[in-house]
Amino acid sequence: MKPFPCLLLLSLPLSAEFIDPAPPKVLDPGKIAKLEAKPFNRLTFHKAPKPLPAGAVTEDWHRFLGASDTAISKETKLLKKFPPAGPAKVWEIEKGNGYTCPTVANGRMFLFHRLDDHETIECIHPETGQRHWTYQYPIVYSDRYGYNNGPRASVVIDGERIYTLGVTSMVHCLRAADGAVFWKRNLASEFRVRGTFFGQGGTPLVHGGRIYINLGGETGPCVIALDKLTGKMLWGAGDKWGASYASPVVATFHGKEKLLVFAGGESRPATGGLLCLDPATGKVDFEFPWRADKYESVNAATPVVLPGNRIYITECYKIGGVMLEVTPEFFPDVVWKAPKFGVHFMTPVLDNGYLYGFDGRHDLQAELVCYEAKDGKEMWRDRSEWGTPMADGRDFRIGFRRGNLLKVDGSWLVLGEYGSLAWMDLNPTGATVLSRHQLFIARETWTLPAIHNGLLYVAQNTKDYLTDAHSRFICYDLRVE
């Protein structure tokens, strides 16, 4: 399909010059403390996982969308047929508030959530659930819509360091081995971060010696780059748009590395869209407005980068999705639009020339859809439902609703909004369930699970209506015999 002109493109501004208001003090954490993993009161250990199969491919999960920022994993030799009792639990940890995904690399797992009035980072042994260390700091925050008062942005692992961005815009750089602080900043007070519907939420990106954050200052910057070792601001860019709940990604177009930020949170009038920037300098190549004309709306799905210098962005409140093609002059041509492929918060997944994702703003409206990436043709949509028996004898009608997709080991893992886990075959002709199990029945299961070394890590964000169990991080054994 021939691209048609973009009618919404703003002028092409250069990056605004912003001065760092409060470069942080860099601390000397001293000698690394040797901290053995130990049991603790919120941990329940069930059973050691099976040995990792010979020849199994494994991959770190250092950020909430995985190693490639695509929700695609290279792991292999996974359990594809669930037994009647479901995949075996290895351990579970009672969790606090938050929607973050566990991240794991180098033999350490990191959990980020709110316990009472403290945002809490915990370093966990990924196979036992035992804890190496914990780091906490107090916060005061209440979600105005009553959803959840914890962090939204997952821990980012970068070698010996980890980075966190809390719901009140507190950013920390800690030593992975023992939780010692290298530096920290209160970005909300330093930059006058504008109001946010659900707190600060986009997971930062660490790349090329910098940490990129969609900040959303009142008068800018929209995006900042900090030196990952010192926390000092290297550049700030943009003054029009607020912070979204999507995460920045880096991609190469026409041989040049670029930073993509899908911005847009609370603002009157409602504004936001895609920024393409030089990751080294913050120079803005283009701004493409894409945001519902509705005050109570946000952008939340991370941009999907496709071959052919293309980018797919999507929102669920009104206008849906759009496929862009970046020209050699770095102008975003609109290739096709998809008003019925509007994703709420998951990131669509690209596979063999097709995009898969959950369209729909509300749970009962949501449908799993497949679109041809080349021309935007809708291939199919699916709203399957089934009954799950409750303890009182009622049959609970359930479906995947606004679920999450993870492509791994040649198949698709689907985690539904109420705790349904399934292996599926997704292709341009349709969706087929290969194996399914109800892990729990809990609302707001909106967090993409993580997979590492054949183990699946799931965040249950509210109470389980089947067992009355508290919200939990749960480790499941997906290793085959």
Side-chain angles (χ1 to χ4, degrees), residues 49 78 120 178 184 218 247 258 275 277 336 357 366 369 403 420 474:
L78 301 176
T120 303
D178 58 9
K184 59 184 178 179
E218 284 282 0
S247 297
K258 297 296 178 181
L275 292 94
L277 310 99
W336 50 264
V369 301
S420 306
I474 312 173

Side-chain angles (χ1 to χ4, degrees), residues 105-177:
N106 307 317
R108 299 287 179 101
M109 166 171 284
F110 298 94
L111 310 178
F112 187 30
H113 51 139
R114 176 174 175 173
L115 293 172
D116 298 322
D117 293 326
H118 289 76
E119 283 193 323
T120 303
I121 302 112
E122 295 180 291
C123 178
I124 302 296
H125 188 286
E127 293 198 6
T128 67
Q130 295 183 6
R131 187 172 63 193
H132 291 279
W133 55 261
T134 183
Y135 177 86
Q136 295 181 301
Y137 56 91
I139 66 163
V140 177
Y141 171 76
S142 180
D143 186 323
R144 77 176 71 164
Y145 296 94
Y147 282 103
N148 195 300
N149 298 329
R152 277 78 168 137
S154 303
V155 175
V156 180
I157 306 170
D158 183 57
E160 69 165 7
R161 297 177 181 232
I162 64 168
Y163 299 85
T164 63
L165 179 64
V167 71
T168 61
S169 308
M170 292 286 293
V171 60
H172 284 78
C173 173
L174 306 180
R175 187 160 59 191

Side-chain angles (χ1 to χ4, degrees), residues 380-448:
W380 51 260
R381 58 180 54 234
D382 181 88
R383 196 190 296 187
S384 298
E385 290 187 343
W386 56 90
T388 296
M390 302 288 285
D392 59 5
R394 291 180 301 158
D395 196 41
F396 186 84
R397 295 301 296 173
I398 203 167
F400 292 117
R401 311 306 186 200
R402 295 167 296 181
N404 273 286
L405 300 177
L406 170 58
K407 180 68 187 292
V408 58
D409 199 15
S411 296
W412 296 81
L413 267 177
V414 185
L415 179 63
E417 183 170 1
Y418 293 91
S420 306
L421 182 69
W423 280 106
M424 296 187 73
D425 175 30
L426 304 182
N427 61 64
T429 64
T432 303
V433 174
L434 306 175
S435 183
R436 186 181 67 225
H437 183 74
Q438 195 68 38
L439 302 178
F440 44 78
I441 295 181
R443 296 181 181 274
E444 301 178 19
T445 306
W446 296 334
T447 305
L448 178 71

Side-chain angles (χ1 to χ4, degrees), residues 123 155 313 352 481:
C123 178
V155 175
I313 54 175
N352 292 323
E481 296 288 353

Side-chain angles (χ1 to χ4, degrees), residues 8 145 194-198 214 240-245 262-274 288-300 313-322:
L8 298 175
Y145 296 94
R194 69 180 72 188
T196 50
F197 287 120
F198 310 106
N214 180 199
K240 296 181 178 67
W241 297 339
S244 74
Y245 295 87
F262 191 33
E266 182 173 358
S267 61
R268 287 187 186 273
T271 59
L274 181 69
F288 180 83
W290 195 258
R291 164 75 181 279
D293 184 18
K294 176 182 176 63
Y295 170 60
E296 290 181 307
S297 65
V298 296
N299 291 332
I313 54 175
T314 178
E315 65 81 54
C316 74
Y317 290 85
K318 186 177 180 181
I319 55 178
V322 61

